[in-house]
């Protein structure tokens, strides 16, 4: 590379953001950090600004931004601090940014992802909700802007790595894809005992280090439901072409089953720096810092079918994909509200699925396939209101 790739990291203080900076630090000749953003974690973002001294920083929470601005000024740092959700949109589309790591959790990341897509950026997508909520509209923005869309979720990166660079050949090659799931911390627990699960127990993932919301989604396998929806749009598949198996060892990250029934699988240690490094360097490969896979010390690799009685939320993915346009946005909004209620101690673990299913049933959306992002966000807010009402009836 003759010039360094200029990066904006949306969600820099989260697990994906910090892992991205870890990879970037290993290749100072290849990358320049132009902008870092967060929501409200001022000490964490300030520490990153001290190390990287980017041109811009932004916090979506205005009060946090004001505090960060004060501390940046006192520290004599050169970073300009912006505030509010619109600042994230502006930085994602900034002319001095080449690549955007979209690592904001939830539907809140959609506007900035859309802006990066329309601006033709290299978009490293770790925000699965952009496709779960945006779907057809988001992919249309990618095509309109000429953006390069690179999936960062380990499962979708695995599928992407198993396919040729020429997207035009994918439909002729793929019979179906298989997303692997670890099964989370409750894979072998009696479903009848899940009512007593605590947030700390749900966040204790056996294989991956993730934020609390994503960890709860892994425990319910709602994360896999969202990934099914994401895969449908990323790879232009029919819902029935996306399958899920439980693979507790998290070594095989996902598989492509070809038309001739040969199977292509991507394998590696469970470390998010691998898909991050691939997205940053595509189509090249760079060191990620991950531990090498030692085949001689691997445990037996096993695969199981997900049980509906244990993971009922997973199966809502196909229900939503086959429902009215916008159903996946309703499901995502309901789940964000339900997980927040669980983490706050207001909702039982096994009631998360009840809240999601009830909200999906109560709000069949009437959304046009070409609806603008404002309509998607309005539907998101409407679904959250319905979900909160449902949750109030289910609270402990």
């Amino acid at each position: 590379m003759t010039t360094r790739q200029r990066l904006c990291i949306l969600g820099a203080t989260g697990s994906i953001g910090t892992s991205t900076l870890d990879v970037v630090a290993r290749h100072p000749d290849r990358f320049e950090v132009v902008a870092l953003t967060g929501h409200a974690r001022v000490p964490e973002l300030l520490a990153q600004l001290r190390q990287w001294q980017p041109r811009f920083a932004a916090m979506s929470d205005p009060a946090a931004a004001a505090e960060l601005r004060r501390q940046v000024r006192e520290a004599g740092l050169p970073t300009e601090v912006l505030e509010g959700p619109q600042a994230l949109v502006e930085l994602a589309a900034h002319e001095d940014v080449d690549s955007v790591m979209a690592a904001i959790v939830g539907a809140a990341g959609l506007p900035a992802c859309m802006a990066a897509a329309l601006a033709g950026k290299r978009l490293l997508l770790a925000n699965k909700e952009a496709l779960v909520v945006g779907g057809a509209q988001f992919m249309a923005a990618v095509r309109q802007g000429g953006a390069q869309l690179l999936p960062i979720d380990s499962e979708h990166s695995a599928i992407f790595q198993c396919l040729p660079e020429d997207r035009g050949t994918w439909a002729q090659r793929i019979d179906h894809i298989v997303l692997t799931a670890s099964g989370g911390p409750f894979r072998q627990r009696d479903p009848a005992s899940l009512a007593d699960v605590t947030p700390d127990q749900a966040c204790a993932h056996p294989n991956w280090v993730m934020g609390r919301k994503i960890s709860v989604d892994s425990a319910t396998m709602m994360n896999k439901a969202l990934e099914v929806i994401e895969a449908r749009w990323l790879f232009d598949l029919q819902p029935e072409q996306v399958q899920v198996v439980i693979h507790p060892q998290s070594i095989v990250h996902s598989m492509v089953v070809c038309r001739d029934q040969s199977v292509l699988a991507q394998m590696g240690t469970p470390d998010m720096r691998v898909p991050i490094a691939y997205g940053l360097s595509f189509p090249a490969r760079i060191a990620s810092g991950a531990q090498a896979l030692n085949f001689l010390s691997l445990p037996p690799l096993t695969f199981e079918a997900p049980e509906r009685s244990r993971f009922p939320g997973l199966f809502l993915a196909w229900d939503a994909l086959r429902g009215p346009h916008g159903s996946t946005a309703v499901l995502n909004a309901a789940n964000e509200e339900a997980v927040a209620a669980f983490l706050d101690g207001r909702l039982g673990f096994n009631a998360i699925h009840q809240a999601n299913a009830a909200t999906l049933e109560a709000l069949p959306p009437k959304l046009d396939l070409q609806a603008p992002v404002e309509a998607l966000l309005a539907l998101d807010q409407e679904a959250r209101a319905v979900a909160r009402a449902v949750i109030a009836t289910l609270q402990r």
Side-chain angles (χ1 to χ4, degrees):
M1 297 180 65
T2 57
T3 58
R4 293 194 297 170
Q5 191 178 152
R6 299 171 298 177
L7 300 177
C8 168
I9 303 177
L10 304 173
T13 59
S15 61
I16 296 295
T18 55
S19 293
T20 300
L21 289 171
D22 181 90
V23 174
V24 168
R26 299 170 189 276
H27 304 277
D29 58 323
R30 298 183 69 107
F31 305 106
E32 175 189 356
V33 179
V34 173
L36 298 173
T37 84
H39 174 57
R41 295 163 66 178
V42 172
E44 291 89 341
L45 190 56
L46 180 64
Q48 292 176 341
L49 300 186
R50 289 181 183 276
Q51 178 179 356
W52 294 98
Q53 301 201 9
R55 180 177 169 188
F56 300 107
M59 304 208 82
S60 53
D61 180 79
E67 176 60 21
L68 179 67
R69 190 178 295 112
R70 182 186 68 79
Q71 295 195 33
V72 163
R73 186 168 54 250
E74 289 181 356
L77 298 176
T79 303
E80 179 182 354
V81 179
L82 310 177
E83 67 180 61
Q86 184 58 30
L88 309 185
V89 171
E90 293 171 2
L91 291 178
H94 199 282
E95 62 180 1
D96 291 338
V97 168
D98 303 314
S99 300
V100 176
M101 170 59 77
I104 299 172
V105 176
L110 176 60
C113 287
M114 292 284 282
L118 289 169
K121 305 300 184 184
R122 171 181 283 220
L123 180 53
L124 285 66
L125 189 66
N127 173 264
K128 60 176 64 68
E129 292 84 359
L131 279 165
V132 173
V133 177
Q137 293 94 323
F138 181 76
M139 293 305 295
V142 169
R143 292 189 294 271
Q144 179 182 338
Q148 185 178 41
L149 183 61
L150 299 168
I152 299 302
D153 275 349
S154 61
E155 297 81 3
H156 303 91
S157 176
I159 298 296
F160 185 76
Q161 291 180 56
C162 289
L163 293 170
E165 290 182 31
D166 183 2
R167 291 173 180 258
T169 68
W170 290 0
Q172 288 75 41
R173 292 171 179 265
I174 299 173
D175 181 82
H176 64 278
I177 66 173
V178 181
L179 304 180
T180 56
S182 69
F186 308 133
R187 180 176 63 88
Q188 296 179 311
R189 182 161 169 166
D190 181 359
S193 70
L194 295 178
D196 298 326
V197 164
T198 68
D200 286 343
Q201 290 172 330
C203 291
H205 196 281
N207 297 341
W208 298 94
V209 177
M210 304 179 291
R212 286 174 73 78
K213 192 269 181 183
I214 299 175
S215 295
V216 174
D217 283 347
S218 180
T220 62
M221 275 188 70
M222 181 53 67
N223 73 320
K224 208 56 53 176
L226 300 180
E227 287 170 13
V228 167
I229 298 166
E230 182 182 7
R232 175 263 179 272
W233 292 108
L234 272 173
F235 305 110
D236 194 21
L237 301 171
Q238 297 302 311
E240 58 271 15
Q241 288 182 281
V242 186
Q243 299 179 9
V244 173
V245 297
I246 293 178
H247 171 52
Q249 297 80 27
S250 295
I251 298 298
V252 177
H253 296 303
S254 279
M255 297 166 275
V256 175
V257 181
C258 301
R259 290 288 182 91
D260 61 4
Q261 297 307 303
S262 60
V263 180
L264 307 176
Q266 189 266 340
M267 304 172 67
T269 52
D271 190 324
M272 283 305 300
R273 291 177 296 178
V274 173
I276 289 169
Y278 185 68
L280 286 169
S281 64
F282 178 81
R285 298 270 184 171
I286 60 174
S288 66
Q291 184 177 358
L293 192 64
N294 185 341
F295 287 95
L296 300 182
S297 64
L298 284 181
L301 303 184
T302 61
F303 302 89
E304 310 163 7
E307 301 174 36
R308 186 181 289 267
S309 62
R310 191 182 305 276
F311 301 114
L314 169 64
F315 298 89
L316 292 176
W318 291 277
D319 294 342
L321 281 171
R322 295 188 181 103
H325 182 60
S327 296
T328 57
V330 172
L331 176 60
N332 178 74
N335 185 63
E336 288 190 20
E337 292 293 328
V339 171
F342 167 68
L343 289 172
D344 288 345
R346 296 182 284 112
L347 191 69
F349 178 82
N350 58 357
I352 294 174
H353 167 68
Q354 297 176 44
N356 292 341
T359 303
L360 199 58
E361 183 177 357
L363 183 58
K366 298 177 181 178
L367 200 65
D368 186 84
L369 199 59
Q370 283 77 42
V373 65
E374 291 80 10
L376 291 169
L377 295 176
L379 176 61
D380 174 78
Q381 291 302 309
E382 183 182 5
R384 289 175 187 276
V386 173
R388 287 193 290 268
V390 169
I391 290 167
T393 70
L394 298 172
Q395 286 179 342
R396 300 179 188 232

